[in-house]
Amino acid sequence: MALPPTTPPTPPAAGPVVTISGLHKSFGDREVLRGIDLEVGSGEVVCVIGPSGSGKSTLLRCVNLLEQPTAGTVTVLGTEVTDPDVDIDQVRSRVGMVFQQFNLFAHQSVLQNCTLAQRKVLGRSRAQAEAVAMKNLEHVGLADRAQSMPSQLSGGQQQRVAIARALSMDPELMLFDEPTSALDPELVGEVLAVMRDLAQEGMTMLVVTHEMAFAREVGDRVVFMDDGSVVETGPADQVIGAPAEERTQAFLRRVLDPTHLQVGGPNGT
Amino acid sequence: MAATLSPPPVRPVARPRMSPRRRARTARGIQYALLLVAAAVVVAVTDWRQVGVSFFNPTVAVEMLPTLGRALTNTLVYTAAAFAVGLSLGLLLALMKLSSVRPYRWIATLYIEFFRGIPALLVVVAFGYAVPVALGVSIGSLTAKAALALGMVSAAYIAETLRAGIQAVPRGQVEAARSLGMSHGRTMVTIVIPQAFRIVLPPMTNELILLTKDTSLIFLLGLTPAQYDLTKLGRDFLSSATGGLTALFVIGACYLCITIPLGLLARRLEATTGRGTR
Ligand SMILES: Nc1ncnc2c1ncn2[C@@H]1O[C@H](COP(=O)(O)OP(=O)(O)OP(=O)(O)O)[C@@H](O)[C@H]1O
Ligand SMILES: [Mg+2]
């Protein structure tokens, strides 16, 4: 299934990059996604916001089938991934994913992290893979750390390597699951800057985030989820600046209000 | 509330209390003194001349020398062969135990429980006498017999160790690999097993050391002198020679010559492969 190295990237799909319709997901009896419909167009940046436990990560993980949907269809880059006969590895090789916990391969150097899948999945030669990896490490400002081990890097650096690793596969879609939530506040900026660049270069991105300013500035569209459903979706400025739905307003009040720490309860969480 | 209670009354002390550091130093001093007294007693009551003659008799040791190298090599060969069987079978069992196919899990569990639960000695005897009768096949090579018998026992322990090691690799590592388009098998081989290897290195070393000592059981298979392992050689010398227990000490030293470097090697490996993970 490894693509020959000379194959040009598949031409951008004519339609949307991601189409989700009627998506349901249950863990046992617990229904986490209750019928989601969502489209992501080519070159679009869609940010997903919502309270903890509302199913944002699950939604994202259904796109590359890290979670198996219970019902509904998900089509990615023209391939219906919910079809049981689909070669999911082939689709995944065209979709980059960045995790909250970075998940760099702990036993491999930064460079190896960025070349492994290129060689094993795309069938690139070592020289080719390293050239691509170095270009992307350069892009995230970490070319000088190519030989470091992940544990020798700060969280922000690790996350930037994770982005470079995903980009090294020349993905046509990038999924981000709260990429800055595990970072110390002073390291958030460097990761968001890389993502902003990426958006400006026209990458199609689906981003789960708690960074409202980022969503508003970089997102073309914002999706607000609550309790397994999409409550509101629209242009970023509108959903974050002037939300129409009651639940969106309540959520944004909690998140944006600098005194929201007191709202949670007496223990101040 | 506890805070409102009055603090416990301070008991008057007869003599000034020692500072914690002084107390620790005194305690340590007492321990050293005890050690010295014990050593002195041992030295005083031991009949050193007798010990020299019957435990560390150089004549006996020299007498053993020509056959010792052979026995040492045999022990190493038996151990290596048994470990090869144990590791391959153990890895297979570990993967079966983690399989999504339920009957595989049952078989692996049954195997592990069975071979962990019975003495290795029984398995060796079974390979010597029961298996040839039951299956109508006789395994010609003694090394093969030893490797199978001891390897099958060892596999049960190794399987559990490997399973725990594989499960200790964080899920995120697998998800990252899968999200890059790597297949389940490829992820296992390039991501999970290398990381599990480092986790299981210390318990695996234990396993190898135990196996080294368990090769002493193969005398039950019936050995020709050329096939003697260290223990069998030692037993022969114990019963024939006049040097008392000297053979025992020589053999013990030989085992340590195998096992101690093994432990050191494992620590080295752990240090070098552990650079990244911590
Ligand atoms: N593997 C799983 N098994 C069982 N329940 C799960 C599993 N994964 C997620 N859930 C549950 O599904 C619900 C939605 O989880 P999800 O991680 O998608 O939420 P989220 O919106 O990403 O929240 P957060 O902002 O905290 O990351 C949660 O209640 C969670 O407990
Ligand atoms: Mg989440």
Side-chain angles (χ1 to χ4, degrees):
Chain A
M1 60 135 297
L3 301 168
T6 47
T7 307
T10 326
V17 176
V18 182
T19 310
I20 298 170
S21 59
L23 176 64
H24 287 258
K25 172 67 185 173
S26 304
F27 292 107
D29 293 341
R30 221 178 115 58
E31 191 169 40
V32 173
L33 298 179
R34 308 164 186 264
I36 305 274
D37 297 294
L38 181 67
E39 270 193 10
V40 182
S42 186
E44 202 181 12
V45 177
V46 175
C47 293
V48 181
I49 62 173
S52 183
S54 56
K56 308 181 296 294
S57 300
T58 308
L59 171 66
L60 204 65
R61 294 158 58 85
C62 281
V63 172
N64 66 354
L65 241 57
L66 285 182
E67 300 291 356
Q68 185 71 46
T70 315
T73 59
V74 177
T75 305
V76 179
L77 299 163
T79 309
E80 189 190 321
V81 296
T82 33
D83 176 354
D85 294 328
V86 78
D87 179 0
I88 188 62
D89 290 339
Q90 205 274 334
V91 178
R92 282 175 178 159
S93 70
R94 298 162 63 196
V95 177
M97 182 153 188
V98 176
F99 300 86
Q100 186 173 350
Q101 299 297 336
F102 329 136
N103 295 350
L104 292 182
F105 303 135
H107 62 307
Q108 296 190 331
S109 71
V110 164
L111 187 62
Q112 286 169 324
N113 261 278
C114 296
T115 54
L116 179 71
Q118 287 191 69
R119 298 176 61 195
K120 303 281 182 186
V121 178
L122 302 181
R124 289 178 182 162
S125 72
R126 173 193 286 265
Q128 245 179 325
E130 287 186 351
V132 173
M134 287 312 295
K135 184 196 76 188
N136 285 304
L137 285 171
E138 197 107 32
H139 195 147
V140 301
L142 287 170
D144 55 328
R145 305 307 299 268
Q147 301 306 328
S148 305
M149 296 305 282
S151 59
Q152 297 166 331
L153 303 180
S154 74
Q157 290 173 326
Q158 287 189 52
Q159 194 60 297
R160 286 187 282 152
V161 172
I163 294 174
R165 175 175 71 177
L167 290 179
S168 294
M169 300 291 285
D170 296 326
E172 294 153 68
L173 165 68
M174 286 286 287
L175 308 173
F176 292 86
D177 189 2
E178 296 192 30
T180 58
S181 295
L183 298 177
D184 291 338
E186 77 269 24
L187 302 178
V188 168
E190 63 190 61
V191 172
L192 291 182
V194 168
M195 292 171 64
R196 192 176 291 121
D197 280 355
L198 208 52
Q200 263 154 22
E201 289 158 20
M203 177 64 76
T204 311
M205 297 163 59
L206 185 54
V207 185
V208 173
T209 186
H210 283 300
E211 300 290 335
M212 293 306 140
F214 174 85
R216 188 167 188 174
E217 177 205 332
V218 179
D220 296 313
R221 213 142 49 82
V222 168
V223 174
F224 172 69
M225 278 181 72
D226 192 13
D227 199 21
S229 310
V230 172
V231 174
E232 183 166 1
T233 172
D237 269 332
Q238 182 193 313
V239 175
I240 294 177
E245 296 288 330
E246 177 67 37
R247 277 194 279 177
T248 319
Q249 292 165 4
F251 170 74
L252 287 170
R253 259 201 311 278
R254 264 203 323 272
V255 177
L256 298 177
D257 182 352
T259 63
H260 73 280
L261 287 180
Q262 272 85 55
V263 181
N267 49 7
T269 45
Chain B
M1 291 294 288
T4 58
L5 288 177
S6 58
V10 180
R11 221 179 290 128
V13 277
R15 64 195 160 85
R17 288 161 69 89
M18 269 192 276
S19 78
R21 194 185 300 179
R22 280 251 340 248
R23 200 148 21 131
R25 203 163 19 175
T26 316
R28 210 160 346 135
I30 292 172
Q31 291 177 48
Y32 275 116
L34 263 175
L35 194 64
L36 276 178
V37 170
V41 169
V42 169
V43 167
V45 302
T46 307
D47 181 345
W48 287 106
R49 210 187 54 80
Q50 196 52 41
V51 164
V53 170
S54 56
F55 292 174
F56 299 104
N57 191 329
T59 350
V60 178
V62 168
E63 219 174 290
M64 289 178 75
L65 220 51
T67 43
L68 200 60
R70 185 57 180 265
L72 187 70
T73 319
N74 281 343
T75 293
L76 285 173
V77 168
Y78 300 147
T79 307
F83 191 65
V85 172
L87 192 61
S88 4
L89 191 56
L91 183 59
L92 182 71
L93 285 166
L95 293 176
M96 279 171 75
K97 193 133 195 214
L98 294 170
S99 162
S100 52
V101 182
R102 202 169 296 170
Y104 280 165
R105 295 205 299 267
W106 291 338
I107 295 170
T109 307
L110 219 76
Y111 181 101
I112 291 167
E113 292 305 329
F114 182 77
F115 280 96
R116 251 194 339 194
I118 60 173
L121 184 135
L122 290 188
V123 180
V124 176
V125 173
F127 261 86
Y129 305 100
V131 170
V133 173
L135 301 182
V137 292
S138 63
I139 304 160
S141 147
L142 175 89
T143 308
K145 257 193 281 188
L148 278 175
L150 295 176
M152 281 177 72
V153 175
S154 183
Y157 294 93
I158 289 178
E160 278 298 276
T161 307
L162 287 178
R163 182 195 54 77
I166 287 172
Q167 286 186 323
V169 175
R171 263 208 74 69
Q173 297 283 308
V174 175
E175 289 183 349
R178 296 309 302 276
S179 77
L180 288 163
M182 288 165 65
S183 68
H184 175 78
R186 176 99 67 195
T187 302
M188 213 57 189
V189 171
T190 55
I191 304 298
V192 178
I193 291 178
Q195 292 191 42
F197 175 75
R198 185 188 125 61
I199 299 172
V200 302
L201 206 53
M204 223 42 151
T205 313
N206 273 344
E207 207 44 60
L208 191 53
I209 287 173
L210 287 174
L211 199 53
T212 308
K213 298 187 295 182
D214 274 354
T215 54
S216 63
L217 292 172
I218 65 157
F219 76 91
L220 292 161
L221 297 170
L223 303 178
T224 67
Q227 296 171 330
Y228 277 11
D229 73 305
L230 283 171
T231 301
K232 178 67 177 145
L233 183 77
R235 284 154 54 106
D236 264 26
F237 270 93
L238 271 184
S239 50
S240 67
T242 49
L245 296 175
T246 303
L248 205 67
F249 285 91
V250 173
I251 298 300
C254 284
Y255 275 110
L256 291 178
C257 284
I258 302 174
T259 54
I260 291 176
L262 267 182
L264 291 177
L265 181 72
R267 223 172 307 163
R268 275 281 299 279
L269 266 177
E270 207 179 335
T272 49
T273 59
R275 256 179 324 145
T277 25
R278 230 182 332 172

